[in-house]
């Protein structure tokens, strides 16, 4: 590795660990401070931490790789994500911020579910905690895989070294600083990602001679990479089902615990509007830069007859080839930033569930606040070790791992979150059955041996679509045949609506 690149990365690691150390005191006082930062996030930190934890390594590796292979048709994923993220800010953020505070100051999503439906059996808490543990362990492993690939392809280290270094640094600052450290590091990482995804495609475009030259270069390819409705991998038109599959990624936002937990932690409902503007602007520029990196990278490789073994490393390839090693180190740090921001958020949410929804409720009801913080730190380590074990499979596809976990959360939690915030008639049984049906549908659709037109179900239609629909219909059907919710629950719902209106209209 070039010494300049090594210096850049060393500075990055030191900054992340320093933030963790700085946040240690605040996160050690009580469990709310460790898990939600005392509900005091500013709009800019909320927006960029939500964006950075959302996008992960797939935006700098998976999405450019998809664009490189399939062409402009991959942009449907970006369009779906932009729409989903916007409505997540609009529909979920304000009500969830108020409702989680009214629901006995809920600190986790399972905690919110239990208090929202007054579930004395605690079935909702257990089921949702298990869903989080299952899908987040899978999700976290995808980030560690991305870290291993980065160290191997960019730095020349063995894949195993990469996954251990990536996991070690993330665990260190997450374990030390909790939610505050994770959110602050996400803010810094979001800024790095933003700059990198503007800089790389612009430099490649300049080197190629502008848009006209890029278009000319791509027009000489065997298939049409510039057609939004054509898959360049197969040379065939993108079907309506294929378009729906790509757009449906946006549905996943409503059920992603590591994203919506930011809404629970923002300082006030009024700040959400500012956070939405910052977050959507950041996302629009960043995701456009990721798509452009893949497309311009393809034109560059074609023009200079270069060779690239893994399309998901096109960002790495361009960073090393076109920039001074010092800048290259900064750009590669952007990939680490994307990877680490997501892993840390997922680790924290999973440890929150282990601590608040299992340890405190079932093992140590009388645990002190400091004991719960310690339990949270131990949980971070346990989940990280499981994810690290799964990441040892070097052949795992980053986008494939992410898509399965994203669909799992979107289908199991998305409809439950939305309907719990907007439909007072929804019942506990409806929530439990819907969650189970959504999760099981995704698992069967993804890993079952069923086919349609000789295609695996997940290849024919993205599993989030049937999972989301099945969960929604189940919730509505079971709730309507179930008895009316208790007056206490409908009163709380009305208080939330009134409180929300009051906060939004007050000066």
């Amino acid at each position: 590795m070039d010494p300049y690149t090594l210096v850049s990365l060393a500075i990055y690691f030191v900054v992340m660990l320093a933030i963790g150390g700085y946040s240690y005191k605040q996160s050690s006082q009580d469990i709310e401070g460790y898990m939600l930062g005392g509900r005091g996030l500013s709009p800019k930190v909320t927006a960029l931490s939500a964006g950075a934890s959302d996008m992960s390594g797939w935006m700098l590796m998976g999405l450019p790789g998809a664009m490189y292979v399939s062409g402009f048709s991959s942009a449907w994923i970006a369009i779906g994500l932009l729409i989903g993220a916007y409505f997540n800010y609009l529909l979920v953020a304000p009500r969830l911020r108020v409702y989680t505070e009214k629901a006995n100051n809920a600190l986790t999503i399972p905690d919110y579910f239990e208090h929202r439906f007054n579930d004395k059996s605690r079935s909702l808490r257990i089921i949702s905690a298990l869903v989080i543990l299952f899908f987040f362990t899978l999700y976290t492993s995808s980030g560690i895989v991305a870290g291993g690939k980065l160290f191997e392809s960019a730095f020349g280290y063995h894949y195993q070294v990469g996954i251990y270094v990536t996991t070690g640094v993330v665990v260190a600052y997450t374990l030390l600083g909790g939610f505050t450290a994770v959110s602050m590091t996400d803010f810094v990482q979001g800024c790095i990602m933003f700059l990198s995804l503007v800089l790389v495609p612009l430099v490649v475009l300049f080197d190629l001679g502008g848009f006209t030259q890029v278009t000319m270069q791509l027009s000489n390819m065997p298939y049409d990479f510039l057609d939004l409705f054509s898959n360049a991998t197969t040379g065939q038109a993108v079907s309506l089902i294929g378009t729906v599959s790509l757009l449906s990624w946006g549905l996943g936002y409503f059920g992603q615990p590591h994203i919506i937990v930011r809404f629970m932690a923002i300082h006030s409902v009024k700040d959400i509007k500012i956070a939405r503007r910052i977050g959507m602007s950041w996302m629009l520029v960043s995701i456009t830069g990721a798509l452009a990196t893949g497309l311009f990278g393809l034109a560059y490789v074609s023009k200079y007859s270069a060779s690239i073994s893994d399309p998901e490393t096109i960002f790495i390839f361009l960073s090393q080839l076109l920039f001074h090693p010092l800048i290259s180190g900064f750009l590669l740090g952007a990939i680490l930033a994307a990877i680490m921001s997501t892993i840390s958020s997922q680790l924290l949410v999973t440890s929150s569930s282990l601590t608040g929804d299992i340890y405190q409720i079932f093992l140590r009801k009388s645990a002190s606040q400091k004991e719960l913080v310690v339990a949270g730190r131990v949980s971070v380590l346990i989940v990280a070790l499981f994810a690290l074990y799964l990441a040892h499979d070097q052949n795992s596809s980053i986008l494939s791992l992410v898509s399965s976990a994203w669909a799992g959360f979107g289908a199991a939690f998305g409809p439950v979150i939305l309907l719990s915030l907007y439909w007072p008639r929804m019942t506990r049984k409806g929530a439990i059955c819907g969650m189970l049906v959504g999760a099981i549908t995704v698992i069967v659709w993804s890993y079952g041996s069923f086919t349609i037109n000789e295609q695996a179900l997940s290849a024919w239609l993205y599993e989030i679509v049937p999972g989301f629909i099945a969960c929604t219909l189940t919730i509505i059907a079971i709730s309507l045949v179930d008895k009316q919710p208790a007056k206490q629950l409908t009163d709380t719902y009305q208080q939330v609506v009134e409180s929300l209106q009051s906060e939004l209209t007050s000066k």
Side-chain angles (χ1 to χ4, degrees), residues 290-353:
L291 293 170
T293 297
L295 199 63
F296 297 168
L298 175 63
Y300 184 93
V301 169
S302 174
K303 179 178 180 179
Y304 294 106
S305 301
S307 176
I308 177 171
S309 59
D310 185 351
E312 288 190 336
T313 62
I314 183 63
F315 183 91
I316 299 171
F317 173 81
L318 296 171
S319 300
Q320 292 179 315
L321 199 64
L322 298 176
F323 296 88
H324 184 277
L326 192 62
I327 304 300
S328 177
F330 171 81
L331 296 174
L332 295 176
I335 302 179
L336 277 174
I339 294 167
M340 290 182 173
S341 60
T342 303
I343 295 175
S344 60
S345 298
Q346 292 163 351
L347 283 176
L348 191 65
V349 171
T350 312
S351 75
S352 300
S353 193

Side-chain angles (χ1 to χ4, degrees), residues 262-310:
R262 262 67 185 180
F263 304 151
M264 295 162 59
I266 196 168
H267 183 260
S268 70
V269 172
K270 282 187 173 181
D271 289 338
I272 291 174
K273 187 175 183 180
I274 302 171
R276 183 177 72 236
R277 290 172 176 172
I278 296 171
M280 291 309 302
S281 299
W282 178 92
M283 186 177 179
L284 178 62
V285 173
S286 298
I287 211 165
T288 302
L291 293 170
T293 297
L295 199 63
F296 297 168
L298 175 63
Y300 184 93
V301 169
S302 174
K303 179 178 180 179
Y304 294 106
S305 301
S307 176
I308 177 171
S309 59
D310 185 351

Side-chain angles (χ1 to χ4, degrees), residues 56 59 103 246 269 302 355 475:
S56 74
M59 189 168 73
L246 295 173
V269 172
S302 174
T355 305
I475 292 171

Side-chain angles (χ1 to χ4, degrees), residues 15-27 173 176-177 180-181 184:
V15 170
M16 296 302 103
L17 292 172
I19 292 173
Y22 172 79
S23 307
Y24 176 78
K25 184 176 180 180
Q26 178 178 345
S27 68
Y173 72 73
L176 279 174
T180 302
M184 290 175 67

Side-chain angles (χ1 to χ4, degrees), residues 57 66 115 175 184 186 196 222 248 252 257 266 314 356 409 429 438 486 488 499:
H115 292 298
L175 190 143
M184 290 175 67
D186 282 355
S196 300
S248 65
I266 196 168
I314 183 63
F409 281 124
K429 290 180 181 177
Q488 173 193 350
S499 178

Side-chain angles (χ1 to χ4, degrees), residues 444-446 448 450-452 455-463:
V444 172
W445 203 271
S446 302
F450 308 102
T451 61
I452 293 180
Q455 285 183 301
L457 291 180
S458 58
W460 180 73
L461 176 66
Y462 186 28
E463 52 267 28

Side-chain angles (χ1 to χ4, degrees), residues 359-360 364-372:
Y359 181 81
Q360 183 181 16
R364 287 279 294 170
K365 294 181 180 179
S366 60
S368 66
Q369 290 295 307
K370 289 196 173 182
E371 181 183 340
L372 291 175

Side-chain angles (χ1 to χ4, degrees), residues 113-155:
F113 288 150
E114 180 176 295
H115 292 298
R116 163 65 178 85
F117 297 103
N118 192 27
D119 181 17
K120 298 188 184 302
S121 71
R122 295 196 159 153
S123 303
L124 258 177
R125 183 187 287 269
I126 295 171
I127 294 169
S128 52
L130 290 175
V131 169
I132 286 174
L133 288 173
F134 177 79
F135 285 113
F136 260 153
T137 303
L138 185 66
Y139 210 150
T140 303
S141 70
S142 73
I144 298 174
V145 168
K149 286 189 175 184
L150 173 65
F151 272 80
E152 184 178 45
S153 59
F155 309 142

